[in-house]
Amino acid sequence: NGTLQQWRHYMAAPGINGIAYRAGLDVLEEGLEVLYRVSDDNLSKAYVVDVPLPTGPWRAVMSAPNAFANECFLDEVAAALKKDPYEFRVGFLAKNSALRGVLELAATKAKWGSALPAGRGRGIAAQVYHDSLVAMVAEASVLAGRLRVHKVVCAVDCGRVIHPDMVAQQIEGSIVFGLTSLFNEITYKQGRVEQSNFYDYPILQMSEM
């Protein structure tokens, strides 16, 4: 009937340098659960799989890839139902929801729904990590096969802030790393990773930001 009725999310992944094995499944389950109350029996479950490819922590360990899976799939559902991705999300959240608050603030500051130059689009996503609520809106385009992110707007509710500059640095740094991952990659040769540090895996420079 044009609505999302149920959510089942199963994830299988290797342990992170053994962390997942020592700490149970807690690490793999970071950010795994969908943020939106789709039904009363939402289910998310993680399984550790032993694979020969070693992995290590990225920013926020498993929260980032789990958020990517959840939020991208939610966009696919919204597109299939011909729903606005922002309105679709807040439709699953109570009026007094703190997560709804950050989504609404990010959308407002990004002027969600306003006209964009030809060829540009906006995307929105949210995540909760260690009780910090974050929503971001990205404005992007693809020109001659090249992706360009023109603007990122972020709203954060991390509780009481002791050092505002540190919070801003953490968020700005996460945006830099996220954008870097769109233009960079880890490659293997004869079973070994070819990159070893930021000199051969460069993050975006000031001029590129």
Side-chain angles (χ1 to χ4, degrees):
N1 63 354
T3 62
L4 180 59
Q5 298 291 311
Q6 196 174 66
W7 189 278
R8 292 284 184 270
H9 184 170
Y10 301 97
M11 189 267 283
I16 304 163
N17 292 344
I19 293 173
Y21 295 102
R22 292 196 302 270
L25 290 170
D26 291 349
V27 173
L28 294 184
E29 291 175 340
E30 286 182 342
L32 181 66
E33 184 177 357
V34 66
L35 303 177
Y36 313 95
R37 183 48 54 196
V38 174
S39 67
D40 291 333
D41 59 347
N42 288 353
L43 177 65
S44 299
K45 193 169 180 62
Y47 300 89
V48 175
V49 180
D50 190 14
V51 297
L53 183 68
T55 58
W58 199 33
R59 287 184 73 111
V61 195
M62 287 305 298
S63 182
N66 286 336
F68 179 84
N70 276 332
E71 293 293 291
C72 285
F73 185 66
L74 203 70
D75 278 343
E76 293 184 38
V77 175
L81 296 175
K82 296 180 171 55
K83 300 284 183 70
D84 177 271
Y86 163 63
E87 299 290 348
F88 190 58
R89 282 168 168 79
V90 297
F92 292 113
L93 299 170
K95 294 283 188 182
N96 62 347
S97 163
L99 182 62
R100 181 171 182 148
V102 295
L103 277 163
E104 289 176 344
L105 182 60
T108 298
K109 294 294 185 181
K111 297 181 174 58
W112 186 272
S114 64
L116 285 168
R120 288 196 191 185
R122 289 190 188 98
I124 191 167
Q127 180 63 326
V128 177
Y129 184 60
H130 289 307
D131 297 324
S132 287
L133 297 82
V134 181
M136 291 193 188
V137 176
E139 185 178 314
S141 66
V142 178
L143 184 62
R146 178 174 170 78
L147 172 67
R148 182 176 180 187
V149 179
H150 300 273
K151 183 179 183 181
V152 177
V153 173
C154 178
V156 183
D157 180 354
C158 58
R160 180 178 295 174
V161 175
I162 305 301
H163 196 321
D165 285 349
M166 290 297 290
V167 176
Q169 289 170 26
Q170 178 75 359
I171 297 302
E172 290 166 357
S174 73
I175 293 170
V176 173
F177 265 71
L179 293 178
T180 294
S181 71
L182 299 174
F183 304 103
N184 227 330
E185 62 182 350
I186 300 293
T187 55
Y188 283 80
K189 185 175 182 180
Q190 296 181 343
R192 290 182 176 274
V193 174
E194 294 186 284
Q195 297 75 24
S196 62
N197 213 315
F198 292 122
Y199 76 91
D200 51 8
Y201 183 88
I203 64 173
L204 291 182
Q205 303 299 298
M206 290 291 287
S207 60
E208 298 169 296
M209 288 296 294

